[in-house]
Amino acid sequence: MKSRARSPSKVENGDNKKVQMCIGRKGQTNNSVDISSSAQLRAEIFQTTLPSEFPHFLKCMLPSHVTGGFCLSFPKRFCVSHLPKHDANVVLVDEDGDEFSTKYLIGKNGLSGGGRGFSIAHNLVENGVLVF
């Protein structure tokens, strides 16, 4: 049985932060070591094309990001510099402009609540790599 995510949650409140992110390929389901290494290399190459004025980082997907829990931690330096100083809604915007509302938890330096729909909608797999 294939799970489907609900429609992206649109957030209208102007106080919300938006995090633009890119995914290598929607529908990619392989998760072998070779694919993982390839995904990491492709993400690193893509990252070099991003303008320096936009902060960015790579995130390798762990089982807890794609199959259970769905809490996604970010680098502490990124959180301190670019995310709210309190728990808040953060909107993930993918390469197609689709928006996914999540909850940023300052105590965890990461996202929770909303991550499951995002993961399912993008067929995220363990060892995949995202560019935020």
Side-chain angles (χ1 to χ4, degrees):
M1 185 168 157
K2 187 173 181 178
S3 298
R4 289 188 48 90
R6 290 179 278 167
S7 299
S9 299
K10 299 286 185 181
V11 178
E12 304 297 329
N13 185 337
D15 294 336
N16 294 313
K17 288 276 189 173
K18 290 190 179 185
V19 177
Q20 180 75 39
M21 46 83 44
C22 299
I23 299 173
R25 292 169 60 185
K26 286 186 179 178
Q28 182 176 338
T29 57
N30 293 323
N31 62 355
S32 69
V33 173
D34 291 335
I35 295 295
S36 173
S37 299
S38 176
Q40 179 75 26
L41 179 60
R42 286 191 323 267
E44 288 172 357
I45 291 169
F46 175 77
Q47 189 178 27
T48 65
T49 68
L50 298 174
S52 61
E53 67 265 18
F54 297 114
H56 50 273
F57 64 92
L58 301 180
K59 183 69 179 178
C60 183
M61 297 293 99
L62 301 174
S64 62
H65 302 143
V66 299
T67 59
F70 302 98
C71 189
L72 184 62
S73 61
F74 286 171
K76 185 167 177 95
R77 183 183 297 178
F78 180 86
C79 294
V80 168
S81 298
H82 305 290
L83 291 175
K85 307 298 184 227
H86 52 83
D87 292 354
N89 287 330
V90 172
V91 180
L92 297 178
V93 183
D94 69 14
E95 72 276 12
D96 295 327
D98 293 332
E99 298 182 355
F100 296 81
S101 179
T102 64
K103 182 73 174 179
Y104 170 65
L105 301 176
I106 191 167
K108 294 194 179 262
N109 291 319
L111 304 179
S112 185
R116 180 178 186 273
F118 174 79
S119 179
I120 292 170
H122 293 91
N123 299 316
L124 299 183
V125 295
E126 182 179 352
N127 297 323
V129 181
L130 298 181
V131 179
F132 286 90

